[in-house]
């Protein structure tokens, strides 16, 4: 696939339309060649990682027109990142290259991030992405899709990035349907402002995705009903409870079905869908994959239960591979699994390789 060339700072690009535009920082990541402390790992494999670009890649793999908006350095890592995203089918026409700031990178150890001794070392301070602002990311970059997907990570990168996310979530004419994944990263919020800032940003979005664990950490609200009571503004709220289930509160079914910031007074539809049993290889990227699956089903006009099931299936694809990005199941296969009756869905057991043909296992 031929990549759209990154935007030159002095040239006005002609940008194609998109189903979803994802904005944020993507970095080059180095995965260890063997388990152990970073100090003991002799070699690493290069990959890419970033919450919003992960969502864009998953949506493109699912057959949607997905675009990523961001800034990278005018360096080899920036080249690799842009070329890799384009190879995944993501529109990178609005990516800008910064000649003065580098592309962010990070290193991590093998295994689950929740394990004791797991290490992640970021080199992102002063990165090109941290220089994003309302002044250099115009609305023509972000408003060309049916959905604009953002996360709380971007808001934590710098004051300029926070100003940009505030502008993108504020009510305004022509604003697309805004999807916001809270994505709380405590290490990025040293000043203690995360609870107030992330709640304020979530209140401006149309769809909010949040883990029950991070909601408990941020606001002391791990219970989905209590969280919805404290966060009534979004038309759709999805609370993810890990391997247990996901709960959705919705006053509308599909992205773009009403003008942004017009609050619907109707009561919520509440749907809970259990997660299938998954043989986990790594937890990296599962939340981003869930967001992509949920958005993909919504773009196709599917109902709330199907949207949650597609979120679980996309997350299962990510959980059963070692890196951030996974090949999702083919659409027909995912639709067939999402359409299972409750009993069959409840016995679904997914392991490595399940996204290939006929690999899922049903358990009694």
């Amino acid at each position: 696939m031929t990549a759209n060339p990154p935007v030159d700072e002095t040239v006005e690009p002609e940008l194609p339309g998109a189903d979803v535009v994802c904005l944020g920082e993507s970095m080059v990541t180095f995965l260890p060649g063997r388990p152990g402390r970073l100090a003991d790992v002799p070699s690493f494999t290069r990959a890419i990682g970033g919450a919003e670009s992960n969502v864009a890649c998953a949506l493109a793999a699912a057959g949607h027109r997905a675009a990523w908006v961001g800034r990278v350095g005018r360096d080899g890592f920036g080249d690799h990142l842009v070329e890799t995203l384009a190879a995944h089918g993501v529109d990178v026409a609005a990516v800008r290259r910064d000649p003065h700031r580098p592309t962010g990178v990070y290193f991590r150890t093998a295994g689950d991030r929740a394990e004791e001794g797991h290490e992640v070392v970021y080199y992102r301070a002063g990165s090109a992405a941290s220089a994003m602002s309302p002044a250099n990311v115009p609305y023509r970059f972000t408003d060309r899709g049916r959905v604009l997907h953002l996360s709380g990570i971007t808001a934590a990168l710098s004051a300029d990035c926070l100003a940009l996310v505030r502008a993108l979530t504020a009510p305004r004419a022509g604003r697309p349907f805004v999807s916001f994944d809270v994505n709380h990263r405590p290490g990025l919020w040293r000043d203690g402002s995360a609870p107030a800032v992330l709640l304020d940003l979530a209140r401006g979005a149309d769809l909010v995705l949040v883990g029950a664990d991070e909601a408990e950490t941020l606001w002391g609200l791990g219970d989905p009903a209590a969280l919805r009571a404290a966060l009534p503004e979004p038309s759709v709220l999805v609370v993810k409870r890990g391997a247990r289930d996901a709960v959705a509160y919705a006053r509308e079914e599909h992205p773009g079905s009403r003008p942004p910031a017009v609050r619907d007074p109707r009561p919520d539809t509440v749907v809970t869908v259990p997660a299938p049993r998954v043989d986990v290889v790594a937890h990296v990227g599962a939340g981003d994959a869930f967001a992509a699956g949920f958005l993909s089903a919504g773009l196709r006009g599917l109902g709330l239960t199907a949207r949650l099931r597609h979120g679980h299936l996309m997350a299962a694809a990510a959980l059963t591979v070692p890196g951030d990005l996974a090949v999702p199941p083919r659409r027909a296969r995912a639709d067939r699994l999402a359409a299972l009756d409750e009993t069959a869905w409840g016995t679904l057991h997914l392991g490595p390789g399940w996204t290939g043909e006929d690999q899922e296992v049903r358990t009694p």
Side-chain angles (χ1 to χ4, degrees):
M1 179 176 294
T2 301
N4 293 314
V7 174
D8 186 273
E9 295 283 356
T10 62
V11 177
E12 292 292 326
E14 291 187 8
L15 301 173
D19 294 321
V20 181
V21 174
C22 303
L23 178 145
E25 179 174 35
S26 191
M27 294 175 287
V28 173
T29 177
F30 290 90
L31 308 178
R34 72 181 192 194
R37 303 182 308 157
L38 286 178
D40 301 326
V41 175
S43 62
F44 296 81
T45 299
R46 184 182 61 178
I48 68 168
E52 300 85 1
S53 59
N54 288 346
V55 172
C57 287
L59 285 167
H64 300 284
R65 296 174 302 157
W68 179 69
V69 176
R71 292 176 73 89
V72 299
R74 199 179 293 277
D75 51 33
F77 288 146
D79 293 341
H80 173 66
L81 199 154
V82 173
E83 291 166 3
T84 301
L85 290 175
H88 278 82
V90 175
D91 168 13
V92 293
V95 177
R96 288 199 167 187
R97 307 299 292 266
D98 191 320
H100 307 297
R101 300 175 181 85
T103 304
V105 301
Y106 73 95
F107 296 77
R108 68 174 176 86
T109 50
D112 185 356
R113 290 183 181 182
E115 293 177 356
E116 185 177 354
H118 184 74
E119 300 172 74
V120 182
V121 179
Y122 292 97
Y123 297 91
R124 74 195 310 178
S127 69
S130 71
M132 289 189 294
S133 74
N136 59 32
V137 182
Y139 290 139
R140 70 178 183 277
F141 285 11
T142 60
D143 289 5
R144 58 198 174 99
R146 293 171 59 190
V147 176
L148 172 62
H149 181 72
L150 308 168
S151 90
I153 295 173
T154 306
L157 297 180
S158 68
D160 282 342
C161 283
L162 175 56
L164 174 61
V165 179
R166 286 194 188 280
L168 293 174
T169 54
R172 57 185 169 82
R175 194 189 88 170
F177 184 96
V178 173
S179 164
F180 182 72
D181 192 335
V182 172
N183 250 330
H184 179 224
R185 297 290 185 269
L188 294 175
W189 296 93
R190 301 294 188 183
D191 61 359
S193 64
V197 171
L198 291 174
L199 186 62
D200 184 54
L201 294 174
R203 284 174 169 157
D206 301 296
L207 162 65
V208 172
L209 301 114
V210 63
D213 54 348
E214 62 184 342
E216 179 65 39
T217 299
L218 282 166
W219 307 305
L221 296 170
D223 175 71
L227 180 58
R228 182 52 161 172
L231 190 58
E233 295 88 352
S235 56
V236 184
L237 171 67
V238 177
V239 183
K240 300 169 291 179
R241 297 195 285 189
R244 177 180 172 182
D245 58 29
V247 185
Y249 298 82
R251 292 190 299 272
E252 68 167 329
E253 281 293 301
H254 314 302
S257 64
R258 63 172 180 83
V262 177
R263 301 306 177 193
D264 190 331
R266 290 177 296 176
D268 281 322
T269 296
V270 184
V271 175
T272 301
V273 173
R277 180 181 171 189
V278 178
D279 295 331
V280 176
V281 173
H283 286 92
V284 180
D288 305 329
F290 184 99
F294 190 85
L295 287 170
S296 173
L299 288 164
R300 295 168 54 206
L302 302 184
L304 197 56
T305 296
R307 291 167 72 180
L308 289 171
R309 286 189 174 190
H310 277 277
H312 283 313
L313 290 170
M314 197 79 87
L319 289 167
T320 50
V321 297
D324 283 41
L325 300 175
V327 177
R330 292 182 180 179
R331 179 174 291 184
R333 179 178 175 77
D335 284 344
R336 177 169 60 83
L337 293 177
L340 292 172
D341 61 41
E342 289 189 14
T343 300
W345 176 263
T347 64
L348 201 59
H349 182 184
L350 307 171
W354 77 269
T355 57
E357 292 303 313
D358 299 322
Q359 292 300 311
E360 80 272 14
V361 177
R362 310 266 181 90
T363 57

